[in-house]
């Protein structure tokens, strides 16, 4: 019984892991079109040696594909036109609480699918959104309107500071009486003591 497939499988795993490591750490949902094509191609290529193809040729092709992907990504960083060509740009689908029908048509996305994305993000109404985009990765990016944004820790601290300042101003203006102690008979006792001192 030939056991060549065992060391071939181990080698494919090691080299394949190394090749994919070069390719990057993005999940499938975050990949661009070119990255997805390369990863699908690599998956098909890496299993070829087991079905009788040569290991060396398979690995060389896999390295070339990965190298082309890396070069493409560097070129996208340098040249804006190539970024548009290979990856595309984020597309605005909601502006000022209203869906952009024209851009939704370009994406072949219905209002129902857009609403599904919003619900998954915890947004109950399109009108609550200032801007929303479909990113290159296909994910939804959004910014809520100011009156719909959750309270941040910074906002809370500012609000508490303003309340403390208002309380200080009110306290200065009202000038409360000094007998704020727990003993409500204190004032009467002190007056009685003063009266006894004045008697002959």
């Amino acid at each position: 019984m030939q056991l060549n497939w065992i060391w071939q499988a181990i080698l494919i795993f090691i080299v394949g892991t190394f090749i994919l490591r070069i390719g990057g750490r993005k999940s499938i949902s975050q990949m661009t079109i070119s990255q997805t094509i390369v990863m699908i191609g690599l998956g098909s290529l890496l299993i070829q040696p087991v079905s009788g193809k040569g290991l060396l040729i398979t690995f060389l092709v896999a390295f070339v594909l990965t190298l082309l992907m890396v070069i493409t990504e560097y070129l996208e960083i340098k040249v804006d036109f190539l970024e548009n060509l290979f990856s595309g740009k984020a597309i605005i689908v909601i502006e000022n609480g209203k869906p952009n029908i024209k851009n939704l048509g370009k994406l072949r996305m219905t209002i129902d699918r857009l609403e599904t994305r919003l619900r998954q993000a915890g947004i109950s109404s399109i009108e609550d959104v200032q801007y929303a985009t479909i990113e290159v990765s296909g994910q939804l990016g959004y910014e809520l309107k100011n009156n719909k944004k959750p309270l941040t820790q910074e906002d809370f601290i500012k609000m508490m500071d303003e309340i403390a300042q208002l309380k200080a101003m009110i306290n200065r203006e009202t000038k409360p009486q000094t007998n704020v102690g727990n003993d409500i008979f204190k004032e009467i006792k002190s007056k009685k003591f003063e009266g006894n001192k004045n008697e002959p």
Side-chain angles (χ1 to χ4, degrees):
M1 180 180 177
Q2 290 185 344
L3 299 177
N4 286 343
W5 63 271
I6 295 177
W7 69 264
Q8 285 182 349
I10 293 169
L11 194 58
I12 288 168
F13 176 79
I14 294 169
V15 176
T17 302
F18 175 70
I19 290 170
L20 293 174
R21 175 68 183 84
I22 294 171
R25 300 184 180 189
K26 294 180 182 177
S27 66
I28 293 294
S29 63
Q30 296 174 319
M31 287 182 183
T32 61
I33 295 169
S34 59
Q35 288 172 334
T36 305
I37 290 169
V38 170
M39 292 305 169
I40 292 170
L42 287 176
S44 301
L45 271 172
L46 290 175
I47 203 63
Q48 292 299 317
V50 178
S51 59
K53 306 294 181 183
L55 276 174
L56 183 61
I57 297 297
T58 301
F59 291 153
L60 283 174
V61 172
F63 273 117
V64 169
L65 280 174
T66 307
L67 188 62
L68 286 171
M69 184 183 70
V70 172
I71 290 169
T72 301
E73 289 173 349
Y74 276 116
L75 288 174
E76 286 178 11
I77 294 170
K78 299 292 183 184
V79 184
D80 196 50
F81 167 74
L82 291 176
E83 184 183 6
N84 286 333
L85 182 65
F86 289 115
S87 299
K89 294 277 190 182
I91 296 177
I92 295 175
V93 290
I94 297 175
E95 290 182 272
N96 298 319
K98 295 180 181 178
N100 188 317
I101 304 300
K102 184 179 177 182
N103 287 346
L104 283 170
K106 289 179 184 177
L107 292 167
R108 298 184 299 281
M109 178 181 285
T110 64
I111 296 287
D112 288 339
R113 287 186 182 175
L114 178 61
E115 288 175 344
T116 300
R117 296 279 190 94
L118 292 172
R119 285 194 295 271
Q120 289 171 342
I123 300 168
S124 58
S125 173
I126 290 178
E127 294 176 357
D128 294 345
V129 182
Q130 183 69 32
Y131 290 103
T133 57
I134 298 299
E135 303 297 329
V136 175
S137 62
Q139 294 179 330
L140 178 74
Y142 64 89
E143 179 188 0
L144 295 174
K145 290 182 177 178
N146 287 333
N147 62 333
K148 296 294 181 178
K149 289 180 180 177
L151 184 70
T152 64
Q153 187 175 0
E154 184 182 2
D155 293 335
F156 179 75
I157 291 169
K158 283 181 181 177
M159 188 173 66
M160 294 305 293
D161 286 344
E162 288 174 4
I163 290 171
Q165 289 172 8
L166 285 172
K167 283 174 73 177
M169 287 172 60
I170 291 168
N171 287 338
R172 279 198 299 270
E173 288 174 5
T174 54
K175 293 182 181 178
Q177 294 180 355
T178 54
N179 63 332
V180 188
N182 292 328
D183 189 357
I184 58 175
F185 296 100
K186 185 175 181 180
E187 185 180 350
I188 297 170
K189 287 177 183 175
S190 62
K191 285 182 180 178
K192 185 178 178 183
F193 178 72
E194 287 174 5
N196 290 336
K197 275 180 69 176
N198 293 332
E199 288 179 4

